Amino acid sequence: MSRTVTSTWRDRLREYGPAVLVAAIAGVAGTVGSYLLAGGTPGFVAAPIAGFLARTLPGIVLTTAILLLGSLGQALNLATAIAIATVAFALIAGGGIALGRAEEQPALGALVAGITAGGLALALTGSAIPSAAAGLAVALVVGIAETDVVPGGTPASDDRRRVLKAVAGFVGVSVLGIGAQATGFGVGRGGVRDREQLHPGGAVLGDTANIEALLTEADEKSLPVEGIEPLVSQAFYEVDISAVNPDLSAADWSLAFTGEVAEERRIDYETLTSMTAEHRFNTLRCVGERLNGEKIDNALWTGVPIAPLLEEMDIQSECECVMLWADDGYYEEFPLAALERGFLAWGMNGRELPRAHGYPVRALIPGHWGEINVKWLTEIEFLERPVDGYWEERGWHGTGPVNTVAKLHAVNHLDGDRIQVGGHAYAGLRGIDRVEVSTDGGDTWADATLSEPLPGEDVWRQWMYEYASPGAEHDVVVRAVDGTGETQSQIPASPFPSGPEGWVRQTVEG
Ligand SMILES: Nc1nc2c(c(=O)[nH]1)N[C@H]1C(S)=C(S)[C@@H](COP(=O)(O)O)O[C@H]1N2
Ligand SMILES: [Mo]
């Protein structure tokens, strides 16, 4: 191909444009190939990249992304990771195309590109089948586009044909991938997607009668208020740093006790779950939620108290503090005393823990912010001196006890000009003594009706209050009084860094 000194970007585009396009299509094919066989599991090439972003992005970016944007922040993180993976595959494909052309051996270029792309995916994920699929996809698109499967044609139409062949290759690769996925080649514990489709909340646990009795009790004690969660939440919130959750196998899981202890120990799933199980109601609330937000929920958890396990150990931690480590690279530090009241849970509402909530085992630390209720728990380290956990390194103070809160989630206009308001109240281990409601902006107060308490030391309660409409717009204010007689703080505080504070206030129509 001849070039003149007046070669413009137009000529360049004509010269390199088609190759760039082929490389881009190959890049997308690589990512799609990986996704078709890995699905939303850590085997997907974008998963470790998203995890890396979550661990290395500055705290302020993360805080905004995860806590303000919520799951949208995670979607953005995942989208960025997917773009990075795709560009990386495209660069590799471009290298393969250049090599193939320089050596006049297009098949060799395709092969090198495929092996490099697959190798990169394998290095990132450690997951063989989806990585092979990514490599194969890149190799096939480059190979089909660059080799003379269909001979003849002028140079110009040759370029166009290359791009068309790349598109055809992409379609073929996708069909192959979908076929492979349908025939059960996907990764995960025997295909995690299948498992989750079969058992949305994991397999049903034993001891059904006791679990059913407790869930029924929660049902019966729930107040008949339209628009608030029952005492056992129907949709439990999810907050974590991972855009793609860990996909652990119970058979391979174990929990290590390490650090300042006479003898390090390890307990596996079989041993843990063959201990005498208990069922506990326990409420979780995220320190990063808005004052009247909904990142607060309650479930019936199945597991064992941690104290008996700790008592068997000669713990020599000088700071009397621990670090809990998780499979997603999360870690949180807090006092040993809080852990001693803790619970190792493998069940939620009568089923195995869902993957999103920490399968196979998570920690529950009564009375404390959700933050230290570590999911996908793998290690408990007894520390010599205190260090910051994941969120504390980013400026948060979320390892302590929860604030007291009364939420206002329902305003129902009933028949006969009556108005019903309701929500939940929660104060961790302090418990809820009462909830007070004002319908005149805080001038006068009345006691709300509370739901009967559920068994357990760390459980929310519902409240409701009915009154005659004043016939005009008015401000409803709610505040909780905890079990020690302390009224919820009136002074507003934003979620960052120590959790939201203040009284929830809402203008209601007459
Ligand atoms: N391994 C791990 N555990 C974790 C987190 C996480 O990102 N990774 N997030 C914590 C936070 S901030 C909260 S509020 C709770 C939420 O638990 P849930 O997702 O089951 O509601 O999990 C905690 N445990
Ligand atoms: Mo949280």
Side-chain angles (χ1 to χ4, degrees), residues 270-327:
E270 173 84 53
T271 314
L272 186 73
T273 53
S274 59
M275 296 167 65
T276 311
E278 289 180 21
H279 312 295
R280 278 193 187 182
F281 289 108
N282 199 111
T283 301
L284 290 184
R285 183 185 179 204
C286 184
V287 68
E289 74 151 0
R290 288 170 299 112
L291 177 64
N292 201 31
E294 306 208 348
K295 288 188 176 121
I296 177 168
D297 279 299
N298 185 56
L300 178 66
W301 307 88
T302 296
V304 287
I306 300 179
L309 290 170
L310 298 179
E311 277 155 21
E312 289 172 16
M313 291 178 230
D314 183 7
I315 300 166
Q316 297 154 356
S317 163
E318 205 157 295
C319 59
E320 305 258 316
C321 63
V322 290
M323 180 76 87
L324 267 50
W325 296 90
D327 188 76

Side-chain angles (χ1 to χ4, degrees), residues 65 99 227 260 330-331 335 373 381 509:
L99 175 75
E260 304 297 310
Y330 187 73
Y331 46 93
N373 291 251
E381 183 189 4
E509 275 172 34

Side-chain angles (χ1 to χ4, degrees), residues 471-490:
E473 216 177 64
H474 55 285
D475 273 2
V476 175
V477 192
V478 288
R479 63 186 187 198
V481 178
D482 73 17
T484 71
E486 186 103 20
T487 300
Q488 175 182 342
S489 165
Q490 187 183 1

Side-chain angles (χ1 to χ4, degrees), residues 412-442:
N412 299 321
H413 289 262
L414 308 176
D415 290 343
D417 282 336
R418 298 203 52 89
I419 298 176
Q420 177 194 57
V421 286
H424 294 86
Y426 178 55
L429 294 174
R430 298 181 301 279
I432 289 295
D433 189 45
R434 57 182 196 279
V435 169
E436 298 172 336
V437 183
S438 168
T439 59
D440 53 15

Side-chain angles (χ1 to χ4, degrees), residues 55 59 323 331-332 387-396:
R55 280 192 294 279
M323 180 76 87
Y331 46 93
E332 281 298 343
V387 277
D388 280 338
Y390 179 92
W391 283 116
E392 282 48 53
E393 281 176 347
R394 289 157 179 82
W396 288 82

Side-chain angles (χ1 to χ4, degrees), residues 346-502:
W346 62 80
M348 185 178 187
N349 301 331
R351 289 172 173 271
E352 286 177 348
L353 277 189
R355 196 174 138 204
H357 298 293
Y359 183 89
V361 176
R362 80 176 301 164
L364 293 173
I365 310 296
H368 289 67
W369 293 111
E371 196 180 290
I372 64 171
N373 291 251
V374 175
K375 306 190 276 188
W376 311 292
L377 180 67
T378 55
E379 182 179 338
I380 295 178
E381 183 189 4
F382 305 104
L383 299 175
E384 196 182 329
R385 59 193 118 76
V387 277
D388 280 338
Y390 179 92
W391 283 116
E392 282 48 53
E393 281 176 347
R394 289 157 179 82
W396 288 82
H397 302 292
T399 63
V402 293
N403 297 339
T404 299
V405 71
K407 306 262 181 180
L408 171 50
H409 284 160
V411 177
N412 299 321
H413 289 262
L414 308 176
D415 290 343
D417 282 336
R418 298 203 52 89
I419 298 176
Q420 177 194 57
V421 286
H424 294 86
Y426 178 55
L429 294 174
R430 298 181 301 279
I432 289 295
D433 189 45
R434 57 182 196 279
V435 169
E436 298 172 336
V437 183
S438 168
T439 59
D440 53 15
D443 290 340
T444 58
W445 296 86
D447 281 352
T449 304
L450 287 182
S451 58
E452 288 300 315
L454 283 177
E457 57 178 7
D458 180 27
V459 193
W460 67 4
R461 293 175 78 171
Q462 295 169 316
W463 64 268
M464 65 178 220
Y465 182 69
E466 258 184 57
Y467 58 100
S469 167
E473 216 177 64
H474 55 285
D475 273 2
V476 175
V477 192
V478 288
R479 63 186 187 198
V481 178
D482 73 17
T484 71
E486 186 103 20
T487 300
Q488 175 182 342
S489 165
Q490 187 183 1
I491 304 159
S494 68
F496 184 83
S498 309
E501 281 192 279

